[in-house]
Amino acid sequence: MRTLAFVITLVAAALGLSAQNDTVVSLVTCYPGSDVYELEGHTAIRVDMGEGRDYAVSYGIFDFDAPNFIYRFVKGETDYMVGLVPWDYFISSYRRQHRRVEQQRLNLTPVQKKRLLALLDENLRPENRVYRYNYVKDNCATRPLALIERSLGDSLRLGYTQWDVWSYPVSFRDIMRHYHRNYPWYQFGIDLALGSGIDYPLESREYAFAPTELAVQMAGARVGGAHLAERSEVLVDFPADAAVDGPTPWYLTPLCVCWAVFAVLLGFTIRDRRRHLVTRWVDAVYFGVLGMAGLLLTFLIFVSVHEATSPNWLYLWINPFCLVPTIFIWLKKCKKVVLWYQFINFAVVFMGLACWWWIPQSANAAFLPLVLGDLMRSASYISLNSTK
């Protein structure tokens, strides 16, 4: 989860990592930063071979300035890299950002250490260092964990985290909301773009997609009854959330803003009832915004290769058909088209809202006022135009 502009040292070829008797291999956990792609933290593997050969093997490196990066990221073509970074440079970058860094030395046998370094060396080769990144299943934390498991040649039992004692099943979205609590608009966007693929109950190992959760699990990890990792050593001593932005003021949160939008729609709806006339520009703007968001969801669901974007049940009320009233509400000859759309829209959205408890997708609380506004404007249009 580091940008290429920040990590400038990439291997052009594998450097021949080799296990010496005094080689120390550690799992390094960097706590959350202020940028949205840093909110779960970052994981790296430190390989200290002595004699000045001290490196961090870092997955999840990307070049934000690469051509068409945003388009390819949205489409799901998230080709990230693994890089070998000089340790002094790696640690100093986090120190400058005031981000806490901890290290857990791995208790590996010489054979296990040799296997792990061979796997890292293989990943670092030019033909292998680019891989298709997955935000929750193949990222900077899950990759090191998978390599450590392969090197052990034995079953790894991870320790427990706070999520193991929750009274109900935990999903990827639940853990994301925990880490994104100070960034509600970012979470609002995730809840809009990502469908039910991140809402299934997780097994304990899947919590490790978040680097700081992996660190907690690694503290209690055992292999054949023995602890895998030594007690965490603090390398950069800042509070865990020192680099994270403070909470968003309540009046700027999506929930407050969306209820304000509902209040505006309610005011115009009451006015329309008194005048017996639909305020067309209000519907044109509101349904236009929903329609544009629907175009984005269409791309994510049907074009993007992100596995978590489909199915997305929000498509019931955020879809390109929302553009029908935006376009045709201005044409008198198309009044029936708009009326039929509002009939169908009201029925579909109402049924979706009524059945949401049984739909396997968690919705952002800020969506409720927007859905109610959708129903209210549809009902108002039907009431004022059906008798005519």
Side-chain angles (χ1 to χ4, degrees):
M1 299 180 184
R2 308 293 300 149
T3 62
L4 198 61
F6 200 73
V7 180
I8 59 174
T9 305
L10 290 172
V11 288
L15 295 186
L17 297 176
S18 59
Q20 307 296 330
N21 290 334
D22 57 348
T23 297
V24 178
V25 180
S26 306
L27 186 77
V28 177
T29 303
C30 309
Y31 279 70
S34 59
D35 290 327
V36 293
Y37 55 84
E38 299 172 332
L39 294 181
E40 280 85 15
H42 182 62
T43 297
I45 295 179
R46 182 182 182 183
V47 180
D48 185 359
M49 296 181 286
E51 299 179 356
R53 295 202 299 163
D54 193 358
Y55 303 102
V57 181
S58 182
Y59 290 85
I61 298 173
F62 63 91
D63 185 2
F64 191 83
D65 297 323
N68 303 314
F69 177 83
I70 296 297
Y71 171 79
R72 290 187 292 106
F73 184 87
V74 173
K75 190 179 178 183
E77 295 176 353
T78 47
D79 291 333
Y80 284 23
M81 291 173 284
V82 56
L84 196 67
V85 186
W87 176 253
D88 288 342
Y89 178 84
F90 180 87
I91 195 69
S92 65
S93 66
Y94 288 95
R95 189 175 291 111
R96 287 195 302 269
Q97 296 181 74
H98 292 185
R99 292 174 63 180
R100 184 180 184 86
V101 179
E102 295 181 359
Q103 172 180 272
Q104 294 165 293
R105 179 172 175 173
L106 301 181
N107 296 316
L108 303 174
T109 66
V111 173
Q112 292 168 343
K113 191 182 301 182
K114 183 177 180 180
R115 285 183 192 147
L116 179 56
L117 295 187
L119 290 171
L120 293 173
D121 193 58
E122 182 68 20
N123 278 191
L124 287 165
R125 295 184 182 280
E127 63 271 22
N128 299 329
R129 69 186 184 201
V130 177
Y131 68 99
R132 182 57 55 89
Y133 175 90
N134 182 295
Y135 182 61
V136 294
K137 294 186 177 181
D138 194 356
N139 62 19
C140 70
T142 61
R143 281 241 160 182
L145 175 58
L147 293 179
I148 291 171
E149 287 179 314
R150 288 178 59 188
S151 69
L152 294 175
D154 200 349
S155 59
L156 170 64
R157 185 164 59 88
L158 294 172
Y160 294 105
T161 73
Q162 59 175 322
W163 307 104
D164 289 295
V165 298
W166 277 37
S167 59
Y168 61 86
V170 177
S171 68
F172 285 121
R173 200 186 304 266
D174 292 324
I175 298 178
M176 290 177 191
R177 286 173 176 167
H178 170 74
Y179 285 97
H180 304 164
R181 59 190 179 276
N182 288 3
Y183 295 70
W185 284 105
Y186 177 52
Q187 186 60 47
F188 181 88
I190 288 177
D191 290 338
L192 178 67
L194 301 185
S196 57
I198 60 171
D199 286 306
Y200 67 86
L202 300 181
E203 296 181 1
S204 182
R205 188 194 180 285
E206 292 177 296
Y207 303 156
F209 88 95
T212 50
E213 298 299 329
L214 173 58
V216 174
Q217 290 181 302
M218 192 62 69
R222 289 178 176 271
V223 180
H227 282 287
L228 173 61
E230 295 182 1
R231 185 175 180 179
S232 295
E233 175 187 0
V234 178
L235 302 181
V236 179
D237 192 8
F238 287 104
D241 58 353
V244 177
D245 292 344
T248 300
W250 66 268
Y251 51 86
L252 294 179
T253 62
L255 185 61
C256 185
V257 171
C258 289
W259 275 115
V261 171
F262 175 80
V264 172
L265 294 175
L266 177 61
F268 276 104
T269 301
I270 295 173
R271 179 173 177 265
D272 289 352
R273 299 294 298 174
R274 291 173 178 173
R275 296 168 60 236
H276 301 284
L277 186 66
V278 173
T279 305
R280 292 184 294 177
W281 70 265
V282 172
D283 284 354
V285 171
Y286 187 66
F287 285 99
V289 172
L290 295 182
M292 295 301 293
L295 291 175
L296 175 59
L297 287 192
T298 300
F299 181 87
L300 291 173
I301 293 171
F302 299 106
V303 179
S304 174
V305 294
H306 279 296
E307 64 178 79
T309 58
S310 180
N312 189 334
W313 290 90
L314 298 181
Y315 208 62
L316 290 172
W317 67 281
I318 303 179
N319 53 69
F321 291 109
C322 295
L323 294 173
V324 169
T326 299
I327 298 171
F328 294 107
I329 201 169
W330 304 103
L331 306 175
K332 291 184 178 180
K333 293 181 179 180
C334 296
K335 183 174 290 187
K336 285 187 177 181
V337 174
V338 178
L339 184 60
W340 274 108
Y341 165 80
Q342 296 292 18
F343 269 118
I344 297 172
N345 179 66
F346 183 88
V348 171
V349 175
F350 181 82
M351 289 300 297
L353 182 61
C355 298
W356 196 267
W357 179 262
W358 295 278
I359 293 176
Q361 181 173 333
S362 176
N364 194 293
F367 294 159
L368 179 59
L370 300 180
V371 173
L372 295 178
D374 188 336
L375 290 172
M376 181 173 59
R377 292 308 296 176
S378 287
S380 178
Y381 189 93
I382 293 169
S383 174
L384 293 174
N385 290 276
S386 58
T387 56
K388 296 180 182 179

Short mmCIF file of all heavy atoms in Angstrom, two decimals, residues 342-367:
data_model
loop_
_atom_site.label_atom_id
_atom_site.label_comp_id
_atom_site.label_asym_id
_atom_site.label_seq_id
_atom_site.Cartn_x
_atom_site.Cartn_y
_atom_site.Cartn_z
N GLN A 342 -42.06 6.23 -12.99
CA GLN A 342 -42.23 6.47 -11.56
C GLN A 342 -43.04 5.35 -10.91
O GLN A 342 -42.76 4.98 -9.76
CB GLN A 342 -42.89 7.83 -11.32
CG GLN A 342 -42.07 9.03 -11.78
CD GLN A 342 -40.81 9.25 -10.96
OE1 GLN A 342 -40.34 8.36 -10.25
NE2 GLN A 342 -40.22 10.44 -11.08
N PHE A 343 -44.03 4.82 -11.60
CA PHE A 343 -44.77 3.66 -11.08
C PHE A 343 -43.81 2.49 -10.83
O PHE A 343 -43.80 1.89 -9.75
CB PHE A 343 -45.86 3.23 -12.06
CG PHE A 343 -47.19 3.88 -11.83
CD1 PHE A 343 -47.76 4.69 -12.81
CD2 PHE A 343 -47.89 3.68 -10.64
CE1 PHE A 343 -48.99 5.29 -12.60
CE2 PHE A 343 -49.12 4.29 -10.43
CZ PHE A 343 -49.68 5.10 -11.41
N ILE A 344 -43.05 2.15 -11.85
CA ILE A 344 -42.14 1.00 -11.74
C ILE A 344 -41.05 1.27 -10.71
O ILE A 344 -40.71 0.40 -9.90
CB ILE A 344 -41.53 0.69 -13.12
CG1 ILE A 344 -42.63 0.28 -14.12
CG2 ILE A 344 -40.46 -0.41 -13.00
CD1 ILE A 344 -42.14 0.15 -15.55
N ASN A 345 -40.50 2.47 -10.74
CA ASN A 345 -39.44 2.82 -9.81
C ASN A 345 -39.93 2.73 -8.37
O ASN A 345 -39.25 2.16 -7.51
CB ASN A 345 -38.93 4.24 -10.10
CG ASN A 345 -37.82 4.67 -9.13
OD1 ASN A 345 -36.73 4.12 -9.13
ND2 ASN A 345 -38.12 5.66 -8.30
N PHE A 346 -41.13 3.26 -8.10
CA PHE A 346 -41.66 3.21 -6.74
C PHE A 346 -41.83 1.77 -6.27
O PHE A 346 -41.45 1.41 -5.15
CB PHE A 346 -43.00 3.95 -6.66
CG PHE A 346 -43.57 4.00 -5.27
CD1 PHE A 346 -43.23 5.03 -4.41
CD2 PHE A 346 -44.44 3.01 -4.82
CE1 PHE A 346 -43.74 5.07 -3.12
CE2 PHE A 346 -44.95 3.04 -3.53
CZ PHE A 346 -44.60 4.07 -2.68
N ALA A 347 -42.38 0.93 -7.15
CA ALA A 347 -42.63 -0.47 -6.77
C ALA A 347 -41.32 -1.20 -6.49
O ALA A 347 -41.19 -1.92 -5.48
CB ALA A 347 -43.41 -1.17 -7.88
N VAL A 348 -40.33 -1.03 -7.37
CA VAL A 348 -39.06 -1.75 -7.21
C VAL A 348 -38.31 -1.27 -5.98
O VAL A 348 -37.81 -2.07 -5.18
CB VAL A 348 -38.19 -1.57 -8.47
CG1 VAL A 348 -36.79 -2.13 -8.24
CG2 VAL A 348 -38.83 -2.25 -9.66
N VAL A 349 -38.23 0.06 -5.80
CA VAL A 349 -37.48 0.60 -4.66
C VAL A 349 -38.18 0.25 -3.36
O VAL A 349 -37.53 -0.11 -2.36
CB VAL A 349 -37.31 2.13 -4.81
CG1 VAL A 349 -36.65 2.72 -3.57
CG2 VAL A 349 -36.47 2.45 -6.04
N PHE A 350 -39.51 0.32 -3.33
CA PHE A 350 -40.25 -0.01 -2.12
C PHE A 350 -40.04 -1.47 -1.73
O PHE A 350 -39.78 -1.79 -0.56
CB PHE A 350 -41.74 0.27 -2.32
CG PHE A 350 -42.57 -0.03 -1.09
CD1 PHE A 350 -42.66 0.90 -0.07
CD2 PHE A 350 -43.24 -1.23 -0.96
CE1 PHE A 350 -43.41 0.63 1.07
CE2 PHE A 350 -43.99 -1.52 0.16
CZ PHE A 350 -44.07 -0.59 1.19
N MET A 351 -40.11 -2.36 -2.71
CA MET A 351 -39.91 -3.78 -2.42
C MET A 351 -38.47 -4.04 -1.98
O MET A 351 -38.22 -4.84 -1.08
CB MET A 351 -40.25 -4.62 -3.66
CG MET A 351 -41.73 -4.67 -3.98
SD MET A 351 -42.71 -5.36 -2.63
CE MET A 351 -42.04 -7.03 -2.54
N GLY A 352 -37.53 -3.36 -2.62
CA GLY A 352 -36.14 -3.53 -2.21
C GLY A 352 -35.90 -3.08 -0.79
O GLY A 352 -35.21 -3.75 -0.02
N LEU A 353 -36.49 -1.94 -0.42
CA LEU A 353 -36.35 -1.43 0.94
C LEU A 353 -37.02 -2.36 1.95
O LEU A 353 -36.47 -2.65 3.02
CB LEU A 353 -36.95 -0.03 1.04
CG LEU A 353 -36.84 0.68 2.40
CD1 LEU A 353 -35.38 0.86 2.79
CD2 LEU A 353 -37.56 2.02 2.36
N ALA A 354 -38.22 -2.86 1.60
CA ALA A 354 -38.95 -3.75 2.50
C ALA A 354 -38.23 -5.07 2.72
O ALA A 354 -38.31 -5.66 3.80
CB ALA A 354 -40.36 -4.01 1.95
N CYS A 355 -37.50 -5.52 1.70
CA CYS A 355 -36.83 -6.83 1.77
C CYS A 355 -35.35 -6.73 2.11
O CYS A 355 -34.64 -7.76 2.09
CB CYS A 355 -37.00 -7.57 0.44
SG CYS A 355 -38.72 -7.93 -0.01
N TRP A 356 -34.85 -5.53 2.41
CA TRP A 356 -33.41 -5.37 2.57
C TRP A 356 -32.85 -6.22 3.70
O TRP A 356 -31.69 -6.66 3.66
CB TRP A 356 -33.05 -3.90 2.78
CG TRP A 356 -31.58 -3.68 2.56
CD1 TRP A 356 -30.59 -3.69 3.50
CD2 TRP A 356 -30.93 -3.50 1.30
NE1 TRP A 356 -29.37 -3.49 2.90
CE2 TRP A 356 -29.55 -3.36 1.55
CE3 TRP A 356 -31.39 -3.39 -0.02
CZ2 TRP A 356 -28.63 -3.17 0.55
CZ3 TRP A 356 -30.47 -3.19 -1.03
CH2 TRP A 356 -29.11 -3.08 -0.74
N TRP A 357 -33.64 -6.48 4.72
CA TRP A 357 -33.15 -7.28 5.84
C TRP A 357 -32.69 -8.66 5.37
O TRP A 357 -31.79 -9.25 5.95
CB TRP A 357 -34.26 -7.40 6.89
CG TRP A 357 -33.87 -8.24 8.06
CD1 TRP A 357 -34.16 -9.57 8.28
CD2 TRP A 357 -33.08 -7.83 9.19
NE1 TRP A 357 -33.61 -10.01 9.47
CE2 TRP A 357 -32.95 -8.95 10.05
CE3 TRP A 357 -32.48 -6.63 9.56
CZ2 TRP A 357 -32.24 -8.90 11.25
CZ3 TRP A 357 -31.78 -6.57 10.75
CH2 TRP A 357 -31.66 -7.70 11.57
N TRP A 358 -33.31 -9.17 4.32
CA TRP A 358 -32.99 -10.51 3.83
C TRP A 358 -31.99 -10.50 2.67
O TRP A 358 -31.61 -11.54 2.17
CB TRP A 358 -34.28 -11.22 3.39
CG TRP A 358 -35.20 -11.47 4.56
CD1 TRP A 358 -35.14 -12.50 5.45
CD2 TRP A 358 -36.29 -10.65 4.96
NE1 TRP A 358 -36.14 -12.38 6.38
CE2 TRP A 358 -36.87 -11.25 6.11
CE3 TRP A 358 -36.86 -9.47 4.47
CZ2 TRP A 358 -37.97 -10.71 6.76
CZ3 TRP A 358 -37.95 -8.92 5.13
CH2 TRP A 358 -38.49 -9.54 6.27
N ILE A 359 -31.60 -9.30 2.23
CA ILE A 359 -30.62 -9.20 1.15
C ILE A 359 -29.21 -9.28 1.74
O ILE A 359 -28.91 -8.60 2.72
CB ILE A 359 -30.81 -7.88 0.37
CG1 ILE A 359 -32.14 -7.91 -0.39
CG2 ILE A 359 -29.66 -7.65 -0.61
CD1 ILE A 359 -32.47 -6.63 -1.12
N PRO A 360 -28.33 -10.09 1.18
CA PRO A 360 -27.00 -10.30 1.79
C PRO A 360 -26.02 -9.18 1.50
O PRO A 360 -24.89 -9.42 1.03
CB PRO A 360 -26.55 -11.62 1.14
CG PRO A 360 -27.18 -11.59 -0.22
CD PRO A 360 -28.52 -10.95 -0.02
N GLN A 361 -26.42 -7.95 1.75
CA GLN A 361 -25.53 -6.81 1.53
C GLN A 361 -25.83 -5.75 2.57
O GLN A 361 -26.99 -5.37 2.77
CB GLN A 361 -25.70 -6.25 0.13
CG GLN A 361 -24.77 -5.06 -0.17
CD GLN A 361 -24.84 -4.63 -1.63
OE1 GLN A 361 -25.14 -5.42 -2.52
NE2 GLN A 361 -24.54 -3.37 -1.89
N SER A 362 -24.79 -5.26 3.22
CA SER A 362 -24.94 -4.22 4.22
C SER A 362 -24.90 -2.85 3.56
O SER A 362 -24.03 -2.57 2.74
CB SER A 362 -23.82 -4.33 5.26
OG SER A 362 -23.90 -3.28 6.19
N ALA A 363 -25.87 -2.01 3.91
CA ALA A 363 -25.96 -0.68 3.31
C ALA A 363 -25.49 0.39 4.28
O ALA A 363 -25.61 0.25 5.50
CB ALA A 363 -27.40 -0.40 2.87
N ASN A 364 -24.94 1.45 3.73
CA ASN A 364 -24.55 2.60 4.54
C ASN A 364 -25.81 3.28 5.09
O ASN A 364 -26.80 3.42 4.39
CB ASN A 364 -23.76 3.57 3.67
CG ASN A 364 -23.04 4.62 4.48
OD1 ASN A 364 -23.64 5.48 5.10
ND2 ASN A 364 -21.70 4.55 4.47
N ALA A 365 -25.76 3.70 6.35
CA ALA A 365 -26.92 4.34 6.97
C ALA A 365 -27.35 5.59 6.21
O ALA A 365 -28.54 5.96 6.22
CB ALA A 365 -26.61 4.68 8.42
N ALA A 366 -26.39 6.25 5.54
CA ALA A 366 -26.72 7.47 4.81
C ALA A 366 -27.55 7.21 3.56
O ALA A 366 -28.09 8.14 2.96
CB ALA A 366 -25.44 8.21 4.44
N PHE A 367 -27.65 5.94 3.14
CA PHE A 367 -28.47 5.63 1.96
C PHE A 367 -29.96 5.75 2.26
O PHE A 367 -30.75 6.00 1.35
CB PHE A 367 -28.18 4.21 1.46
CG PHE A 367 -26.79 4.02 0.91
CD1 PHE A 367 -26.24 2.75 0.81
CD2 PHE A 367 -26.03 5.10 0.49
CE1 PHE A 367 -24.97 2.56 0.31
CE2 PHE A 367 -24.75 4.93 -0.01
CZ PHE A 367 -24.23 3.65 -0.10
#
